[in-house]
Amino acid sequence: LHDTVEDTDVTLEEIEDQFGPAVRKIVEGETKVSKLPRVSSAHPTVNGRASPRDVDEQAENLRWLFVAMIEDWRIIVVKLADRLHNMRTLAHMTPEKQKRISAETLDIFAPLAHRLGLWSIKSELENLSFLYLYPDEYHKVNSMVNQKLPRYQRILEESRASLEQALCDDTFMQRSVDKIEVSARTKELYSVWAKMKQNERSIHEIYDLVALRVTFETKDCRLTRLYSEAEGNGDVAEAERLKNAEESLCYYILGRVHDLFPPFPGRVKDYIAFPKPNGYRSLHTTVFAGEKQALIEVQIRTQQMHRVAEFGRAAHSAFNDKNATD
């Protein structure tokens, strides 16, 4: 329904009659957003445009206008989903449209997804934009990553299995945690390229190319729910106590990780004590793993932290809505 009013003769009143005022509000917001001016692109694939500085300022102004004019954050989520669908079908458009839409996506929509903490959407928007805007660089980085991955695959799987087993066998963890999972991931191509370009690094100096991610659910499955309820009721002291109970487990797991794998000096990042502006919370550490002492990153977070990391505010709101109906 997001572009029904703009593309057809259907009115907002008809939308409200059939789907209710909440849906009307979202559709109306989408219609307003679609009328925002387009950002000029200063990417090297588009010539004769504004300077990079002017474009950065214009993009920032549009992002703030986008957020300021919208009362309901769900409108932005729908708009991001619409843009993601457009990017997934971009192969059927002309090269000129591919570059223009990709530049706009990289300048406006990927940063918006980042601000909302919608990590999965942000990553896909960036990678697809990267492919169409900088195809040579995209394939070059992809080739470099694929050359390094075989060396990491066995080390990563062995490290994942040994860490998961150590945590499952830990007596304290058995008493405190109901479910624990250790998974492996590879850094997104756009993020690799951006880090190499920004810091003038080679692929061999990207220490978080591959990572292990530890997520867990506490034994008391009500802990996160109770924290959310206490926070909502204004019981600051109780909310803080419950939050600290889960957070302390993250730091305990960090200690167990360093018991198994020697840490790389200066590479512990505490986003629990110092969350990112978009709400991202996690512990990161880089360690030496395997016989060849390969560098891998380990991320540690609760299931709720992970949901917020992947889906941002939508995860927090969905969790509270679920609690309200339980």
Side-chain angles (χ1 to χ4, degrees):
L1 296 173
H2 65 283
D3 54 5
T4 303
V5 175
E6 190 176 8
D7 295 344
T8 72
D9 294 330
V10 175
T11 65
L12 288 169
E13 288 71 22
E14 291 173 316
I15 294 287
E16 184 171 356
D17 288 342
Q18 294 190 49
F19 301 100
V23 173
R24 175 198 168 135
K25 184 178 179 181
I26 294 174
V27 173
E28 190 172 11
E30 290 298 311
T31 304
K32 290 179 181 178
V33 167
S34 66
K35 296 177 181 178
L36 283 174
R38 296 186 183 277
V39 64
S40 300
S41 174
H43 294 277
T45 50
V46 182
N47 297 318
R49 300 289 180 134
S51 69
R53 180 177 179 180
D54 290 340
V55 169
D56 286 344
E57 291 180 357
Q58 184 185 5
E60 181 66 12
N61 290 338
L62 281 175
R63 284 195 290 268
W64 278 113
L65 178 61
F66 201 166
V67 174
M69 69 179 290
I70 293 173
E71 298 176 359
D72 191 334
W73 63 270
R74 292 175 298 180
I75 296 170
I76 301 181
V77 175
V78 173
K79 189 63 181 177
L80 289 171
D82 181 41
R83 176 51 59 115
L84 182 58
H85 176 263
N86 291 341
M87 291 301 298
R88 287 173 175 174
T89 58
L90 210 56
H92 306 291
M93 297 193 176
T94 64
E96 183 182 353
K97 282 189 175 181
Q98 288 175 348
K99 292 179 174 63
R100 177 179 61 77
I101 294 172
S102 295
E104 188 179 68
T105 299
L106 207 55
D107 289 333
I108 300 291
F109 293 97
L112 269 176
H114 177 72
R115 287 188 178 184
L116 284 177
L118 298 167
W119 182 260
S120 58
I121 293 179
K122 167 190 174 289
S123 297
E124 191 170 353
L125 288 176
E126 287 178 338
N127 283 333
L128 289 170
S129 299
F130 182 31
L131 172 61
Y132 290 108
L133 276 175
Y134 309 102
D136 293 340
E137 289 86 345
Y138 178 93
H139 293 296
K140 182 179 179 181
V141 172
N142 189 43
S143 176
M144 288 189 293
V145 170
N146 286 334
Q147 287 177 12
K148 287 184 69 69
L149 280 183
R151 174 175 176 262
Y152 277 103
Q153 291 295 349
R154 183 176 61 84
I155 296 173
L156 201 60
E157 178 53 32
E158 289 176 355
S159 302
R160 186 204 66 77
S162 62
L163 177 57
E164 188 170 72
Q165 190 63 49
L167 293 174
C168 289
D169 291 344
D170 186 284
T171 305
F172 179 73
M173 294 296 292
Q174 290 174 357
R175 292 199 307 264
S176 308
V177 172
D178 184 54
K179 178 184 177 182
I180 190 161
E181 181 181 355
V182 182
S183 57
R185 73 109 178 103
T186 305
K187 195 174 184 66
E188 301 290 346
L189 292 180
Y190 177 79
S191 296
V192 173
W193 177 71
K195 184 170 282 191
M196 290 172 62
K197 183 180 178 184
Q198 180 179 357
N199 301 314
E200 297 183 350
R201 297 180 181 178
S202 72
I203 189 71
H204 306 291
E205 297 174 289
I206 306 299
Y207 300 132
D208 58 347
L209 183 63
V210 294
L212 295 177
R213 180 177 293 148
V214 182
T215 57
F216 65 90
E217 200 80 70
T218 54
K219 203 76 171 180
D220 184 352
C221 61
R222 299 179 304 152
L223 191 60
T224 305
R225 179 185 303 177
L226 290 171
Y227 161 65
S228 182
E229 290 176 353
E231 189 179 40
N233 294 332
D235 190 342
V236 178
E238 180 65 5
E240 191 68 20
R241 186 187 69 80
L242 293 166
K243 184 181 71 170
N244 290 341
E246 278 198 326
E247 291 176 356
S248 64
L249 284 171
C250 293
Y251 294 104
Y252 179 82
I253 293 171
L254 178 65
R256 296 293 289 119
V257 169
H258 288 168
D259 287 341
L260 283 173
F261 310 111
F264 186 81
R267 292 288 301 178
V268 175
K269 300 176 182 178
D270 190 345
Y271 296 119
I272 293 179
F274 305 98
K276 291 187 177 182
N278 61 9
Y280 178 86
R281 302 172 74 237
S282 182
L283 292 178
H284 292 193
T285 182
T286 301
V287 299
F288 296 97
E291 295 178 357
K292 296 183 179 180
Q293 293 292 279
L295 287 171
I296 61 173
E297 184 178 75
V298 181
Q299 303 170 355
I300 304 163
R301 62 184 70 147
T302 67
Q303 280 290 347
Q304 177 61 8
M305 290 177 190
H306 180 62
R307 283 188 285 267
V308 172
E310 292 295 305
F311 304 110
R313 185 174 176 179
H316 182 70
S317 206
F319 182 82
N320 288 339
D321 289 347
K322 180 180 182 299
N323 288 342
T325 59
D326 285 349

